[in-house]
Every structure is written in C-alpha cells, then in structure tokens.
Amino acid sequence: MLATMVASPASISIDHAAQVARENYGLAAEIERLTGERDQNFRVRAAGGDFVLKIAPAAEELLVTDLSTAALLHLERVDPYLPCPRVCRDYRGQTQVRITDASGMLRIARLLTWLPGIPLRSSARSTVQQTASARIAARIGRALATFDHPAARRELIWDLRVLPRLLPLLDDLPDLPRKELIAAQIADFRDSVLPVLGTLRQQVIHNDINDRNILVDPAEPASITGVIDYGDMIHGPLVFDLAILAAAQATDTETLDETIARLAYAYSEIESLTAAESGLLRRLIGARILMGTVIPSWHRCQNPASSHYSRVTRDFVSERLAIAEVLFREPNMSDKKTDADAALARRQRALGPTYGHFYEEPLQLVRGKGVWLYDSAGRRYLDAYNNVPVVGHCHPRVVARLAQQAATLNTHTRYLTDSPVELAERLLATMPSEIGHVVYTCTGSEANDLAARIAKAATGGSGFIITEHAYHGTTELVAGMSPSTGLATGPGIYRVPAPIGPGPAAAFDDAVRHCLARMKADGVKPAALLVDTIFSSDGVAADPPGFLTKAVDAIRAAGGLFIADEVQAGFGRTGGGMWGFERHGVIPDIVTMGKPMGNGHPIAAIAARPEWLAAFARSTRYFNTFGGNTVSCAVALAVLDVIADEQLLRNALEVGDRLRQGLAGLATRHECVGDIRGAGLFIGVTLRANDSSARDAKALTQAVVNELRRRGALIGTAGRNGDVLKIRPPLPIRPTEADQLVEWLDQSFSASS
C-alpha cells in the first residue's frame, strides 16, 4: 500500500500528450500541464472546447481506471444536472485508450470535459458556499447509492479505515510537530471508531470531495461549477464524504462547531444522517485532518523537490493539528450551560410533582458515551449507577440499528415480521430448555405485572411472597409488591426478610416456608415467589450461590410458581452468565426482563414455561401494541450482539472482581466500610457510622454519594435503612475506570466520615 504513495506519474511529455489528443480524439489542441498526485494531467485547449487528458501511472490497472470512468457515466445517467465531468470517447467509441510512453511502458489515457471555475480553496469563503458544497456532496452520495464496481474495494492509502497503518510513517518524519499527539489520536481512532465503522451505511463514495476538487465561479463564489477528481473512489461508509468535506472547510477552531453543524445540516437536507453517523462525524473529520498532514508530510520528505505538497509547511501542520486536537477532545459545551436552579424551577412548572431528582446538586445531563455522562457545562461523570444502558450509553452499534430500523419499518406483532421471532429465539437460547415461550412488553413493570397475572391463572392462587424492601414496578398490581416505594403492600402479598448477610441468606428458605404457613392459616392459596435475583433494592445479595434453591422447592411444593425478576440482574450484569438465577442453579417458571434489554429503549419481556402460558391463554388474551415492535426488537438484537462480540459477560466478571478487591482494600482503611456484597458488576456496600461521627449510617451514605458526585462519579443507595451504596456501572467499564472509581470512593470516605 505504501508503494502506491510514491508511484511516479507517467513519463509523458507535452508533445506526446498532444499526439494522444490528436490521434485518438481528433483534437488539434494547445496542451498545458496540470498537477496530479498519481495521474499525469493535461489541459487540452481545442477549437471545440476545453478538455482534461488524464494518463494513469504504469502501476494503475485498467480495472482501476475504469472505476472512475464508469462512475462518471453512472452519475450522468442518474443525476444529469450534477456538475461533474463528462466522459469523452475516442474515434473507436472507447472510454479508455492504451498508449505507451517513451520508455515503452503501457499507460491508460482518458479524456474528460473541462469544468470552468476555480478551486474553492482559492475563493472567498462564505456560509452560502458551505451549504451549497454540502448539498452537492449529498447529491453525489445519493446518486452513487445504486452504483458498484469491483475496483472500489481495492486498498487505498486515502481510505480513512487505514489510518492506523500510518503510524510507522511517523518514524520517518523527524521534523513533524506533535508526533505524540498524532500517535495518540490515531490510537483513539483505532480503538473507538474503527471497530464500529462496519455498522454504518456502505456504498461507493467519491472519497475526495475537498476544497481542491470543488470548483466555484470566481465571480460568484457561492455557485458550485464542478466536482472533479474521481480517482480515489472506494466502497466505504457514506459519511466519509461529509467528513472529508468538513475537514477541508474546517479552517480554525473558533468557527469549527458552527462549520460542522452547517455542513451536516445542509447535507442532511438531501441525504439524512443516521444517529450513528452523526455521533462519529467529529472524529472522522479529525481522522481526515490527520491523514491530510501525515501523508503529504511523508511525500514531501521522500520527494523534497516536488511542488505538489509545497503548502505543507511546519506552520500549516501545526494549525491543522490544533483543529484535530479539538475534534478528538469531547465537545466544549460551556456555551450551553444553564443555571441548575432555573432548570429545576422550569421542570417543576411543567412536570408533575411525582418526579424527583438525584443528588443535593441536581445534574443537568446533555449526553452520554460509554460509561460516561456529560453535564451542561461539559464536565464528565463516571456512571457507576445506571444499569439500564447495559452496553454503555449511546453505543454506536445500537444507535445505528435503531436508526436503520426506524427508517425502514416500525409495526407490531399482529403482522408477521422476523425480528420479534429472532429475538425470542436468541433469548430462549440463553435459558434452560424448560423455558420455551416469550411475550413482549414495553417496561419491566408491565413484565412483572403480566408474570403475576400468569401465575394467578396457572395456579388459581392469589398469594405472592416478596422481600421486605423489594421493588418490582409501578402498575397498581406490582406497586403493591414494591415496599421500597413506601406504599402499602397489596392484598395477598406476604413479605420475608431479605437474605442480606450469611445468617439471613442461609435462613431464606425457612422464611419462605414460614410465610407459606401463614398463607395457609389465612386461607390464601400461593401463586408465586417473586424475587429480584440480585435483591437490589434490599441492599444486594448474591452469596452463597444456591441459597435460592430450597426456597424455590418450597413454593412449588405449595403449588406456587417461581418468578425470577431479571430486570436489574439480567443481561450479564452478575458476570459468568446472562441471568441472576443461574447463580443459584434453579430453573424459574417465569423470567421477567426490562429496559436493559434495549439499552434503555422501551422494550421488556417475560419468558415462561409453555404450560403456564397455555393456562393463562385459556382464560384471557394479552396484546401489547408496541411490546415487541420491530424497532425495539432490532435494538434488543443489537444489544445481544454487542454483549457477545465485546465479551461483556467476561468483562463484568473480571472487572467486577477487581472492583470488589479494590473496595475490600478500602475497608481496611475506612472504619465506615462494612459488608461488601454482589456478583459481577452489581455491588452493594453497607456503611456504618463511626462512633465519633455525628451522622447515622443513612446520612453518611448520602454524604458519600454526594461527595462522589462532586468528584466525578455517580452511584446510588439501597437497603431498607438507606445505608447501602449501590454500584452497577454499564458492562463495558474498563479496569482503569474501576480503579478510578475506587480512588474517588477512597477520597469520598475520608471527606465524609
């Protein structure tokens, strides 16, 4: 590939070019040499008009030169008003002509029409010009959507996807400024952008729509007269063309955000960008700027006498790198800062009084990425609380699948569509074979409500056993099974102590049997034992593995079912398996799932033994209009893909172990740290007040949470006494981020005790 960077243009003299024009195209013309990176180009001034004669280097294959020729013919057919060169044929009707140079080497010659105008680079820049150029780029992309060519998949140095392979070139550039920064940015691109480029829309693209290849009318610079140079065409992500255009027009850091926004908006008027494309745009622009500095700098170092890259001075490179640095940084949102008190007052005016907020100083969040959240001032926070974005905030693969399906079809399960069936099959493949059917809902509350109704229908019972501080949802039925909300339990609801600590865990089955005896005495027939398999709201309980087994045996012996609430524990959070119930070696009758299934998109489900669903269906019907809609199912399928492809179950297990080890180390230094419980990336830490502290354990826990928020990390609280730190970050959290959380907790314990 690097050899193509130094391929010499064809050794063709002006006289030879005139001969080619005369003998093959019948043009008696004045010839003027033009610049070119690989091709040797000539302006042909003839009586019938002006043309461009392009002669490819010896290394260029006929198939490669045919790519741009075929593309131009396609553009002429699909959008004849595009200002693109027209392909001219020789006297034999051919679009490409074989010639030999003075050394006897074979060359390929092509003749195109000349387009008037000057390069955009040489004109007075304007916002109108930016808008016009973006629209032209979008029109070219749209027209090329129906074009393909085998040579488009060749390897090309100017393909953004090969940026990481430029790293070795830095060793050959001793005078290149800020090489460490360039290397870091290329590594960032390799690690965070390159892996998801394959999820974007792919087609043949121009791949070089820059300010040198866009021509404008010198008398009216906002008028685009042409887009030239189709020699770098590839099959790749469509958004590359917009990124390349924006890289060329990003001339300073002060107007950078405004320029990108204007170009993206104008482009989207013709060809809408997906959310994933928009999310990657800034770094793609930065990547093109890096390419536009490293490759020309290398060329100039190898060919110091060449004038083709004369503008690539040290000052020029420094200016371009300053822009790239901003693009690879998180966007500066200080201009969007809103007074928190004013925002809170506005919220209270518009929203009902049922809404609360976290932290003494409420957070006004504006975006998320991976395990990080960003507030309106641009400050980022390590999210170690939100279990719903299980594969990380705004995961590009999930966002791309959502946008793609939303632009295709969104409908319900009364029509035959593939995605709900595929999703059900893949979910069931993660569960015991006894569980055979899936029913979709939109929320975990709906899933638990449906599970309770199924249990009643299947058993004829009405009694449910829950834990003392459980949370199972917000419908009237399951709100009565959620004492953590402060509401009274509903009729037929019996509570048992949570299995927190070694004694209660071992005695959990005894508590369930005692509860069943109370039910019998009250004349209540059991319907189900319903537990969150990580006992999150109760304060987190995971050990010893298997402690649920005898309790499940007891409820079944009494004629009831076991419902495993996996809304919080499911989808790999506890490490080592997809579901919390696996830790205990039990097979549920019904499994409920919530919004982590869609990384926050409103999709949820129940999975159940077929015989219980059959019993339910005999007495009632269940249809949830947008439970299992095609968009939600596509999103959930993407979540399953990411969990598998990124090995997030293993990450949850390994980073979770590391995090608990770090917390155990803090317990040796801070008297306030009590029991540390959990599995994978679901951890509870009980705090206890120091004898010398004026705070009780609940107040201390709140103080630590708020102190940690001030340092840059987010966690929550749990437990009937409010004395448990609840830690449950998105599954992609890295070891270094877990270490940072432990360090900030160390500081927060010291500041709060």
Side-chain angles (χ1 to χ4, degrees), residues 386-393 568 570-573 595-600 639 642-643 648 681 729-733:
N386 288 291
N387 66 305
V388 171
V390 64
V391 298
H393 293 279
Q568 298 199 57
F571 292 92
R573 175 154 296 282
K595 286 184 285 295
M597 181 174 174
N599 212 46
V639 170
V642 173
I643 289 173
L648 294 185
L681 286 171
L731 301 192
I733 187 171

Side-chain angles (χ1 to χ4, degrees), residues 139-334:
R139 284 177 59 192
I140 291 174
R142 171 167 286 189
L144 288 173
T146 53
F147 173 75
D148 204 355
H149 194 281
R153 289 165 176 80
R154 74 198 190 283
E155 192 174 62
L156 188 73
I157 191 64
W158 285 103
D159 183 340
L160 283 175
R161 292 170 294 192
V162 306
L163 176 63
R165 296 171 63 181
L166 300 185
L167 277 170
L169 300 186
L170 300 182
D171 295 334
D172 298 332
L173 299 170
D175 297 329
L176 187 68
R178 309 188 73 183
K179 285 200 290 186
E180 289 185 1
L181 173 67
I182 296 173
Q185 290 171 341
I186 292 177
D188 184 0
F189 177 88
R190 178 195 62 211
D191 296 339
S192 63
V193 178
L194 190 60
V196 297
L197 291 181
T199 67
L200 305 182
R201 290 181 293 173
Q202 312 280 322
Q203 64 169 72
V204 175
I205 60 173
H206 184 287
N207 198 45
D208 202 18
I209 303 179
N210 59 39
D211 58 353
R212 186 181 63 252
N213 292 329
I214 297 175
L215 304 179
V216 299
D217 185 342
E220 190 178 346
S223 175
I224 307 295
T225 60
V227 178
I228 60 173
D229 195 352
Y230 293 74
D232 286 345
M233 298 184 77
I234 59 169
H235 188 281
L238 175 61
V239 72
F240 278 10
D241 272 349
L242 177 58
I244 291 164
L245 174 67
Q249 301 210 31
T251 56
D252 61 75
T253 56
E254 291 184 3
T255 61
L256 181 61
D257 290 344
E258 182 182 346
T259 297
I260 294 173
R262 183 179 298 110
L263 291 170
Y265 180 81
Y267 187 94
S268 296
E269 288 181 315
I270 306 295
E271 185 65 49
S272 297
L273 294 173
T274 68
E277 289 166 341
S278 297
L280 291 173
L281 183 57
R282 289 177 68 90
R283 290 192 173 186
L284 291 175
I285 298 168
R288 177 66 179 199
I289 290 175
L290 293 180
M291 270 194 160
T293 55
V294 174
I295 294 176
S297 296
W298 191 86
H299 265 299
R300 192 172 188 197
C301 185
Q302 299 296 312
N303 304 282
S306 172
S307 61
H308 189 68
Y309 295 105
S310 58
R311 71 192 293 256
V312 187
T313 63
R314 187 177 181 87
D315 287 344
F316 170 82
V317 170
S318 296
E319 291 171 2
R320 299 299 286 165
L321 291 178
I323 297 173
E325 184 177 13
V326 172
L327 290 164
F328 275 91
R329 279 204 314 257
E330 300 302 337
N332 180 9
M333 300 187 193
S334 59

Side-chain angles (χ1 to χ4, degrees), residues 98-162:
R98 292 176 172 84
I99 65 170
T100 55
D101 62 17
S103 64
M105 298 295 293
L106 178 67
R107 308 294 194 211
I108 305 299
R110 293 159 291 157
L111 191 73
L112 306 176
T113 56
W114 176 269
L115 297 181
I118 61 173
L120 186 149
R121 174 184 293 176
S122 304
S123 69
R125 303 294 180 103
S126 71
T127 57
V128 176
Q129 186 186 77
Q130 289 178 344
T131 298
S133 62
R135 288 173 177 163
I136 288 290
R139 284 177 59 192
I140 291 174
R142 171 167 286 189
L144 288 173
T146 53
F147 173 75
D148 204 355
H149 194 281
R153 289 165 176 80
R154 74 198 190 283
E155 192 174 62
L156 188 73
I157 191 64
W158 285 103
D159 183 340
L160 283 175
R161 292 170 294 192
V162 306

